Structure formats: structure tokens, C-alpha cells
Amino acid sequence: MNNVILLEDEAATLALGKTLADVLKPGDKVALTGTLGAGKTTFARGIIRGLGFVDDVPSPSFAIVQHYDPPDVRSSLAHVDFYRIEAAEEIPELGLDEILGYGALVAEWPDRMPASFWHDALQISLEIENDHTRRLTWSAGPAWKDRWPRT
């Protein structure tokens, strides 16, 4: 199976995120990696829009965790940005295990967490090809069998 998808523009990145929203379940983890400007937040915005959120979707860079819950979305999701996490001691304070008990988790800069946390995650990497195009590569843990990519 080809684990590469070329996204021709921002609209394609948002649309693919919306498609992913259709298969998210409580307990799912989505890890988004890539350099600054690669499209991680845009992809996450697509997921959140796909869950039905209609207001502005801010980057969680300063809040670290941005929660989305019904009735604003059809299922709970936490959008997490680990970029500002400096010490592992800060992570338990985020309540990620609790979040995963009732919702999904979409995380930017997931390398701040232990690799073992992501063993069953959908891991997506975005790379800048040119001003508009992004190369998305992915690997999926067992929890994603037959769910990603959607054919």
C-alpha cells in the first residue's frame, strides 16, 4: 500500500482532515509531525471542521490543549500542541488519559511524548514540497486497520 498522499493546496489538506474525522473514535490518537508551516494545524482544522465545528479553530500553541465537545462537534476531540512542553513532568497535568477515555486526540509536535504513547496511533508527517503542495506520509497502528486511508 502506498503511504504517500500529495496535497496540492490548503483546501486539499483541509478536505483530507475532514475525511479523517469521519472515522475517528474515542481513544484514537493522531500524531502530526512536520516543520513549522508544513500544514499540521491546517490538517487538524480539517478534522475539527469535519466533526462539525463551525467557529474559528485556533492553534493550541498557547493553550497547549484545545477541547472540542458536543454539541459543538459530534464527538469529543482534544487538539494538543506539545511544542511548548519542556519537561516530561508537565505532561500528566494535561489529562490525556482522561481525554482518551471519551474522545480522540490530535497532537502536533508528538515527539515531546514517549514513543510508546504513539504505538497504536495514526502517525502523519507533512513535508513542504513547494509554496502550495504538501507531501503527507503516514503509518497506522493496529487500531487503524481498515479505517485509514479510506478507499
Side-chain angles (χ1 to χ4, degrees):
M1 182 180 296
N2 187 355
N3 290 2
V4 176
I5 300 169
L6 284 181
L7 302 165
E8 296 298 326
D9 54 24
E10 184 175 338
T13 303
L14 288 165
L16 188 60
K18 286 180 181 179
T19 299
L20 178 54
D22 291 340
V23 299
L24 275 180
K25 300 187 305 191
D28 280 345
K29 301 173 192 174
V30 179
L32 302 173
T33 60
T35 60
L36 288 172
K40 298 179 300 295
T41 300
T42 299
F43 190 83
R45 282 186 179 122
I47 295 169
I48 295 162
R49 291 265 181 246
L51 291 173
F53 195 74
V54 295
D55 293 328
D56 287 336
V57 177
S59 169
S61 294
F62 293 103
I64 300 177
V65 179
Q66 188 72 38
H67 294 271
Y68 298 90
D69 293 302
D72 295 325
V73 290
R74 70 176 174 270
S75 61
S76 294
L77 178 124
H79 181 193
V80 182
D81 187 332
F82 289 109
Y83 187 75
R84 292 185 19 208
I85 297 292
E86 295 179 10
E89 297 79 38
E90 297 174 61
I91 294 171
E93 296 174 22
L94 301 178
L96 301 181
D97 289 332
E98 179 182 335
I99 291 166
L100 289 167
Y102 64 88
L105 174 72
V106 174
E108 300 182 41
W109 303 98
D111 58 323
R112 304 293 203 269
M113 288 288 287
S116 61
F117 182 79
W118 304 109
H119 79 278
D120 59 347
L122 174 59
Q123 298 190 42
I124 293 175
S125 176
L126 291 153
E127 298 173 47
I128 299 170
E129 289 283 302
N130 60 44
D131 286 346
H132 303 287
T133 305
R134 302 297 185 256
R135 175 182 300 272
L136 181 148
T137 56
W138 59 271
S139 64
W144 291 91
K145 183 177 180 352
D146 301 326
R147 289 196 294 146
W148 178 267
R150 291 189 66 191
T151 53

